Each structure stands twice: as structure tokens, then as C-alpha cells.
Amino acid sequence: MGRSRRTLPEELLLLALDPATGTTAQPQSLDLGLAGAQLVELALAGRIAPDGDRIAVVVPRPTGDPTLDCALELLRRRGAPVRAVHWIGGPRLGLRQIYLSHLERCGMVAAVPGQMCGVLPTTRYQATDTAISREIRARLDSAIRTGVPPDPRTAALAALAHAVGLGKHLYPGNEGRSSRSRLRDLIRHDPMGGLVAHAVMDVQNGAAAQPRRGPATAGRQAGHGARTAAEPARGVPMQPSRGSMARAVAH
């Protein structure tokens, strides 16, 4: 995989960055979305494929992207297909910071240091090349407004944006209601993106549900079975942080 093309995790993160404040929308669910976006990117590269509600490695050859290849290697080490909800729900230490740092090295964002409560150091990230963010947003807008089935990459990006709750960030207020609805509907145009997006929503529902309620909330997603994400993600290793704890990121 060449590095001339932005990956889905990078595009999802750029969509979530607020151009005015430099903070990320939906930071907690965004972390899940980035892990899911890695799976979709690996699928688009032909390295993994869905196997029911599980993810199977079909070609273990590296892609050339260090962060994606780390995820691919972890999947390969499992030795058997892993459930998408278990993979996405596993710990992903510093994944958002890894991608922010990469975007900074590529010149797409600039780090702006600051302080929280006048004491704790924080870092905001301002987009430096707004044309890139506009192009990503335009792809979503076109898919929403024209009704023409989007390409798999745009369909997966739409599915992930909906799953992590970016709809209200991208299309706010009552005037954005129909756009948010159509954003959700785009989930059906890419099987892998749909699988991953539903897994992201399942993990969020499982984490939010009280233990006494069990996994019933996972079944509320439209067209999705009552899969539980409350099971522990046993054996899922952490992503390397690459020094991401050296500075805090303002959310």
C-alpha cells in the first residue's frame, strides 16, 4: 500500500477534528472507530476478510503502513478469526495520538500547546490543509445528497462516522436531521464497513449497559442481531503508544 493515499483512520480523525477549537468530537467513541477503521482499511488492502461476525487474516503480507501492519500482525498472532466486537473493544493505548502525530508529521495538522486549568499541559490540533478536510467532507455530502451508491471507501467512512456519533458534529441541528438519517443509511453499501460499524455500536452499548440489564441493548441497532460486546476482549494485545503519553490531548 502506498502512502500517497490517506487511510480511513486518518480520514475519520480529520472529520472529527473541530476546525475552530482543535479538539476532537466524540473522543471516546472515536477511539473505537479508529480501531474499526483499521480493520476496514486492511480489508480494502486485501489482507483480512469478514467471516460471519469475525475477522480472518487472508494475506499476512505487510501493507507498508507501520500502524496498520501492527494491527495485522496482532490479528495474525491470534491464529483464528476474532470477533469484531472483541477486537474493537480491546485496549488501544494511544491509537488516536499515534494518528494525530502522523498527521502532524505529514503537515496536515499543527500541534498547539496549551494548559488545562492553568496547570496541566494539553495539546490541540488545528488542521493546516483545510482543502483535504473539505475534500473528505465533500465525498460524504455527495453520497448523501445525490443518492448515488458511493465507492466502498466512502461508504465505510460514512458507516464509521455514523457509528461513532459524528452525525451531529457534521450535520447539526434540525436542519441536519435528514442528512444524519441518510448518513446512517449509507452503512448498507459496504459489507465490511457495516460489520465494523455495527461492532463499534455494539461495544458502546455493551459498555454503557448496567450489568443487571445484560446485553439486550446491543440488539437495538437496526438490522443487527443481539450480539453482546460485554464479554472481555481476552488476549487482545495493546497497540504501542509510541510516546503518546508524553503530552495530553485536549478533548
Side-chain angles (χ1 to χ4, degrees), residues 181-203:
S181 177
R182 287 192 289 270
L183 180 71
R184 179 196 62 218
D185 292 342
L186 290 174
I187 201 170
R188 71 181 185 274
H189 288 290
D190 180 61
M192 185 66 179
L195 168 65
V196 169
H198 280 304
V200 168
M201 291 185 285
D202 279 354
V203 172

Side-chain angles (χ1 to χ4, degrees), residues 120-234:
L120 297 175
T122 63
T123 304
R124 296 181 294 111
Y125 289 85
Q126 300 282 170
T128 55
D129 191 342
T130 56
I132 294 176
S133 297
R134 288 198 302 269
E135 182 272 328
I136 297 170
R137 175 67 179 272
R139 281 164 42 210
L140 285 187
D141 291 345
S142 177
I144 286 173
R145 291 170 182 167
T146 65
V148 176
D151 62 274
R153 181 173 294 274
T154 301
L157 181 62
L160 288 162
H162 167 70
V164 303
L166 289 183
K168 291 184 178 180
H169 168 70
L170 298 171
Y171 306 104
N174 288 333
E175 65 276 13
R177 183 177 301 172
S178 61
S179 293
R180 293 195 299 270
S181 177
R182 287 192 289 270
L183 180 71
R184 179 196 62 218
D185 292 342
L186 290 174
I187 201 170
R188 71 181 185 274
H189 288 290
D190 180 61
M192 185 66 179
L195 168 65
V196 169
H198 280 304
V200 168
M201 291 185 285
D202 279 354
V203 172
Q204 292 180 83
N205 285 337
Q210 296 297 323
R212 59 183 174 82
R213 297 178 62 186
T217 53
R220 287 209 293 261
Q221 300 299 336
H224 192 50
R227 298 196 301 268
T228 175
E231 303 171 39
R234 295 184 293 271

Side-chain angles (χ1 to χ4, degrees), residues 15-217:
L15 274 181
L17 275 178
D18 189 306
T21 65
T23 59
T24 53
Q26 303 294 331
Q28 293 181 335
S29 56
L30 180 62
D31 290 343
L32 302 176
L34 291 174
Q38 286 188 311
L39 294 180
V40 180
E41 190 65 50
L42 287 170
L44 290 171
R47 301 313 197 263
I48 65 174
D51 181 5
D53 67 345
R54 296 175 183 268
I55 304 298
V57 175
V58 293
V59 177
R61 185 177 69 251
T63 66
D65 180 298
T67 309
L68 289 176
D69 288 341
C70 177
L72 180 62
E73 176 62 14
L74 294 178
L75 285 166
R76 186 194 65 79
R77 289 179 187 174
R78 294 296 297 269
V82 57
R83 290 188 68 198
V85 290
H86 287 175
W87 177 261
I88 292 170
R92 293 292 180 271
L93 182 62
L95 188 58
R96 187 174 4 136
Q97 183 61 50
I98 288 173
Y99 278 110
L100 283 169
S101 297
H102 171 74
L103 291 176
E104 182 184 10
R105 289 193 300 272
C106 292
M108 285 187 273
V109 302
V112 180
Q115 287 185 330
M116 181 183 297
C117 302
V119 179
L120 297 175
T122 63
T123 304
R124 296 181 294 111
Y125 289 85
Q126 300 282 170
T128 55
D129 191 342
T130 56
I132 294 176
S133 297
R134 288 198 302 269
E135 182 272 328
I136 297 170
R137 175 67 179 272
R139 281 164 42 210
L140 285 187
D141 291 345
S142 177
I144 286 173
R145 291 170 182 167
T146 65
V148 176
D151 62 274
R153 181 173 294 274
T154 301
L157 181 62
L160 288 162
H162 167 70
V164 303
L166 289 183
K168 291 184 178 180
H169 168 70
L170 298 171
Y171 306 104
N174 288 333
E175 65 276 13
R177 183 177 301 172
S178 61
S179 293
R180 293 195 299 270
S181 177
R182 287 192 289 270
L183 180 71
R184 179 196 62 218
D185 292 342
L186 290 174
I187 201 170
R188 71 181 185 274
H189 288 290
D190 180 61
M192 185 66 179
L195 168 65
V196 169
H198 280 304
V200 168
M201 291 185 285
D202 279 354
V203 172
Q204 292 180 83
N205 285 337
Q210 296 297 323
R212 59 183 174 82
R213 297 178 62 186
T217 53

